Amino acid sequence: MLQTIVVGLVEGGVYALSAVGLVLIFSVAGVANLAHGESVVVGGLVAYAAGTYAHVPYVLSIVVGAAAATVLGLILSLVFDRLRDAAETGVLMASLGLILIIEAFGVTVFGDEPKSVPAAPGHVLDLGGVRIPAVWAVIVVTAFVLTGLLRLYISASRPGRAMRAMAMNPYAATLMGIARRRYAMLAFAIGSCVAGIAGALLASAFPIGATSGEDIAFKAFIVIIFAGLGSIGGALAGGLLLGVIGAVASSYIDSGYANTFLFAFLLIVIVLRPNGLFGVNVARD
């Protein structure tokens, strides 16, 4: 049971980092970026390529993967900025089209076989019979550290306060002279960078494929729905909780019903807490 919970925390750490970036993008830019999972995949696959073909050190491969995901985030921000006055169905279709394009490109370049980042820490800790590979511990610790740093940045820095104002009321923030487009791009860059780190770490612990983005984005959206929109700390707690629930469900219930169990849990949370477990009210224009 403890081993299952540890596995769940590791998977939850990746979901949490993905959801944290998605929360930032949605809160600041007002875009439900369905292609967010592709930033996770790009981070993982580019980190794999950097370590495998360029033979860069492990930590540097994580940095390269995060940088690639950041570039993708900036590209996505330009696409969605052009669609800011389009109907919601147009934005949805654009998101789905971006997913298909990025997945097709990934399969063409990397193939459809899952890949793992080489030279990841291989040491295994044995704590009371629970085996914890060092890279698993790195994932969980990174989730807490990055979430803490992001919350500090949002609350203490000038750009962070501007993004927080946009999240609270984008119309009023624009009237106050805040450059909406600039900070929306910054939110996409930071959110995608965090997602890229999540993908590189995920590929260090478990193989990741070019078509893995849809499932990751699906889990990230579940996290922010039951954790609550606008809550970065809630996304961390929600991601870890989702990972543990999914791992336990897969161990004690047929794995084919794991997602059904997650949806049942999500439905219960929405009924009892419509704004999510840690939700805050966010004004939209």
Side-chain angles (χ1 to χ4, degrees):
M1 181 64 175
L2 288 177
Q3 186 71 50
T4 300
I5 292 176
V6 169
V7 173
L9 288 174
V10 174
E11 295 179 351
V14 175
Y15 300 150
L17 288 175
S18 303
V20 163
L22 189 59
V23 165
L24 182 65
I25 292 171
F26 180 80
S27 299
V28 176
V31 175
N33 179 19
L34 299 181
H36 186 69
E38 307 311 313
S39 296
V40 179
V41 171
V42 166
L45 292 181
V46 171
Y48 153 78
T52 302
Y53 302 114
H55 305 290
V56 301
Y58 172 70
V59 174
L60 184 56
S61 68
I62 302 295
V63 174
V64 173
T70 303
V71 172
L72 175 61
L74 291 173
I75 294 173
L76 293 178
S77 73
L78 294 175
V79 173
F80 285 116
D81 182 67
R82 296 286 295 177
L83 298 172
R84 65 183 182 276
D85 296 323
E88 292 183 359
T89 52
V91 177
L92 175 62
M93 293 303 296
S95 295
L96 296 177
L98 287 167
I99 292 173
L100 294 176
I101 292 170
I102 297 171
E103 282 189 356
F105 181 78
V107 170
T108 301
V109 174
F110 297 100
D112 55 3
E113 292 296 323
K115 304 293 192 296
S116 296
V117 177
H123 183 65
V124 178
L125 305 175
D126 192 335
L127 302 177
V130 179
R131 296 177 59 80
I132 306 176
V135 69
W136 289 13
V138 169
I139 291 175
V140 176
V141 171
T142 301
F144 278 95
V145 171
L146 283 183
T147 302
L149 290 175
L150 186 56
R151 291 189 66 182
L152 180 63
Y153 179 77
I154 294 297
S155 62
S157 70
R158 183 172 182 178
R161 288 194 293 270
M163 288 191 288
R164 188 170 57 181
M166 287 184 61
M168 294 175 64
N169 193 314
Y171 180 69
T174 302
L175 292 179
M176 294 297 292
I178 294 176
R180 179 197 57 80
R181 179 176 297 178
R182 179 194 306 168
Y183 289 107
M185 289 184 66
L186 180 60
F188 263 97
I190 295 175
S192 297
C193 180
V194 173
I197 294 173
L201 293 175
L202 175 63
S204 303
F206 310 101
I208 187 173
T211 58
S212 302
E214 295 177 26
D215 184 65
I216 295 171
F218 167 72
K219 296 291 176 57
F221 272 101
I222 289 182
V223 169
I224 65 173
I225 290 172
F226 77 70
L229 296 175
S231 175
I232 292 177
L236 172 63
L240 296 175
L241 182 59
L242 177 72
V244 172
I245 292 173
V248 172
S250 298
S251 297
Y252 295 96
I253 305 174
D254 189 306
S255 59
Y257 294 99
N259 285 341
T260 302
F261 188 84
L262 290 177
F263 270 117
F265 178 78
L266 174 63
L267 179 61
I268 293 172
V269 171
I270 291 176
V271 170
L272 298 178
R273 298 271 301 180
N275 288 330
L277 295 177
F278 314 98
V280 296
N281 292 324
V282 178
R284 310 300 323 166
D285 60 349

